Amino acid sequence: MWETCSVQLNVRLPRDLAEQAEEVQRTDPEFLSRVVLYGLTRRSIYRHLRGQDGPDPGDTAQPRAT
């Protein structure tokens, strides 16, 4: 299996979707974790297949200073 670590994500969702995500987080956090992992894996594969090393042109997320 993979070595893992916890991260905190802040996302802006429509209110009804945010309520559903909060309910899933309370009732089945492992499922929500798998959904996020699935999405990030798809994005990684897509970027690899496109041969991009830089940011995705559609990516609006700003890097956070540490």
Side-chain angles (χ1 to χ4, degrees):
M1 198 69 182
W2 300 314
E3 184 176 334
T4 62
C5 65
S6 294
V7 296
Q8 182 173 343
L9 299 174
N10 294 310
V11 295
R12 297 182 66 80
L13 300 170
R15 189 174 306 277
D16 60 334
L17 189 55
E19 290 170 359
Q20 290 177 31
E22 288 174 340
E23 176 64 21
V24 171
Q25 178 64 24
R26 279 190 299 276
T27 60
D28 193 355
E30 182 62 30
F31 173 76
L32 191 55
S33 178
R34 289 191 311 266
V35 168
V36 171
L37 177 61
Y38 172 78
L40 292 174
T41 300
R42 282 184 53 110
R43 183 171 190 249
S44 177
I45 292 169
Y46 171 78
R47 292 175 87 183
H48 176 74
L49 291 175
R50 288 214 33 192
Q52 291 182 346
D53 292 333
D56 188 353
D59 189 1
T60 59
Q62 299 295 316
R64 182 176 280 189
T66 56

